[in-house]
Amino acid sequence: MRSELAQDRPPADLVRRVELLLGPVRDWQKVVRGFTGAERWLVVGDDGGPRFVKAATDELTARWLRDEAVIYERVDAPWLPEAIAWDAGGSRHPVLVLEGLHDAQWPPPWDATMISLVLETLDAVHAIEPDFPLPLLRDDVELLGGWDVVAEDRNPFLATGLVSAGWLDRALPALSKASAAASVDGTSLLHLDIRSDNLCFTSVGVRIVDWNWAAIGNPVFDICAWLPSLRREGGPLPDQVLAGQGEFAAVLAGYWCSQMGLPDTDPPSGRRLLQRDLGKISLDWAARELGLDAPDGTADPRQP
């Protein structure tokens, strides 16, 4: 994962567990950037090169880490980082050790060649049809049902100032209809969280990390889900990369619009500001594709 590093002291129990996996570790650097609540460290042992350590801190991050470990256990592919060690934790939380990827190139900035490489890599990801249990995209009610949430209580979304109540009255039926019609079924492996801090470029190709949202479904949705964050980081408009995806754009807009106005329990993370940015881009995209008036809000989506 793309990260900023800081010197810090790891928990003593984590030190003991990692050294049981790797042998003596002489350097620990805490990874402080990102949204997960898991402990993340770059460590250097007597065997040389840095290793990335991710350790769960509660039941939620433990479940995510176990879900991610399934991918490393069951999938053999060049776009996965090397899994060095795994401690399932037993009665404790699990620990995963991956190659460090410290010398990789982490975007942004983006260029056309990098975008093409990611699309080619996603084609390879989507060529895999898992023969082991994974969630189905069609069952992800939170991701797919955003406009239902907004329709039930529109006040949190309207409070962001991205649209007026009148615009929402006019657009909501079309957005809801398009979202409900989206064809999410499929047999492909999906990542569902492709973004710049979950992928990097190495001398031998793209590496994709953070697989805790892996699912099975329509591969086009996986690509569409990446495009708003690509645009946010200076890339092309989503419909310049993949045109004719109004239904998926509506799904993504609904998800972000249902999230961005919720109470912010962790302001320093910038999570809600990110959601507003992605929601604005997705909503503009959906409006263009569905022939709706452009969203008429006047608030800067980056402001609290």
Side-chain angles (χ1 to χ4, degrees):
M1 175 180 283
R2 181 187 181 99
S3 62
E4 297 172 358
L5 302 176
Q7 296 294 335
D8 207 340
R9 292 183 178 274
D13 180 64
L14 181 59
V15 172
R16 288 192 293 269
R17 295 176 67 189
V18 170
E19 291 194 334
L20 284 174
L21 295 171
L22 301 180
V25 174
R26 62 175 182 266
D27 184 54
W28 290 76
Q29 289 184 305
K30 188 175 181 64
V31 178
V32 297
R33 182 173 177 177
F35 297 108
T36 179
E39 291 269 359
R40 293 160 298 154
W41 297 84
L42 202 65
V43 305
V44 178
D46 288 344
D47 62 344
R51 304 283 187 252
F52 179 72
V53 173
K54 184 187 289 188
T57 55
D58 54 27
E59 288 305 315
L60 179 60
T61 54
R63 175 169 59 82
W64 286 348
L65 203 53
R66 292 189 179 101
D67 290 345
E68 182 175 0
V70 168
I71 299 299
Y72 294 111
E73 177 185 357
R74 301 298 297 270
V75 177
D76 181 15
W79 31 263
L80 282 175
E82 181 186 0
I84 307 298
W86 166 248
D87 177 356
S91 61
R92 297 180 295 181
H93 296 316
V95 175
L96 177 66
V97 183
L98 304 174
E99 65 175 304
L101 297 174
H102 60 292
D103 56 354
Q105 179 184 0
W106 296 83
W110 292 93
D111 59 35
T113 298
M114 296 166 73
I115 293 170
S116 294
L117 285 172
V118 173
L119 291 172
E120 290 173 11
T121 303
L122 288 176
D123 283 344
V125 172
H126 299 150
I128 292 179
E129 297 186 351
D131 59 359
F132 53 92
L134 282 175
L136 300 179
L137 173 59
R138 70 182 181 197
D139 293 334
D140 192 333
V141 176
E142 183 178 38
L143 178 58
L144 303 180
W147 290 118
D148 292 338
V149 174
V150 173
E152 184 175 344
D153 181 5
R154 58 180 58 197
N155 291 327
F157 172 48
L158 289 176
T160 67
L162 293 189
V163 303
S164 68
W167 186 93
L168 186 59
D169 287 338
R170 296 189 299 274
L172 185 56
L175 291 166
S176 297
K177 180 179 179 180
S179 182
S183 177
V184 298
D185 284 338
T187 57
S188 293
L189 174 65
L190 311 181
H191 183 278
L192 292 184
D193 200 18
I194 296 295
R195 62 188 193 202
S196 61
D197 58 340
N198 285 342
L199 63 87
C200 62
F201 298 85
T202 74
S203 60
V204 292
V206 176
R207 293 288 185 273
I208 302 176
V209 301
D210 281 8
W211 286 88
N212 52 289
W213 296 116
I216 295 174
N218 187 332
V220 179
F221 184 84
D222 210 15
I223 299 171
C224 288
W226 168 47
L227 299 181
S229 71
L230 176 63
R231 175 62 175 176
R232 182 178 184 264
E233 294 174 338
L237 291 168
D239 30 332
Q240 291 176 327
V241 179
L242 204 58
Q245 301 300 326
E247 291 175 352
F248 286 154
V251 170
L252 294 165
Y255 174 72
W256 295 120
C257 291
S258 71
Q259 298 292 311
M260 66 173 72
L262 298 178
D264 195 346
T265 58
D266 185 18
S269 74
R271 185 189 307 268
R272 295 293 182 234
L273 297 181
L274 172 65
Q275 291 170 343
R276 290 192 218 182
D277 284 353
L278 297 179
K280 177 70 166 79
I281 293 167
S282 300
L283 197 59
D284 287 346
W285 178 19
R288 290 193 300 273
E289 290 280 10
L290 299 176
L292 303 174
D293 293 338
D296 62 356
T298 58
D300 181 349
R302 293 175 182 267
Q303 297 302 315

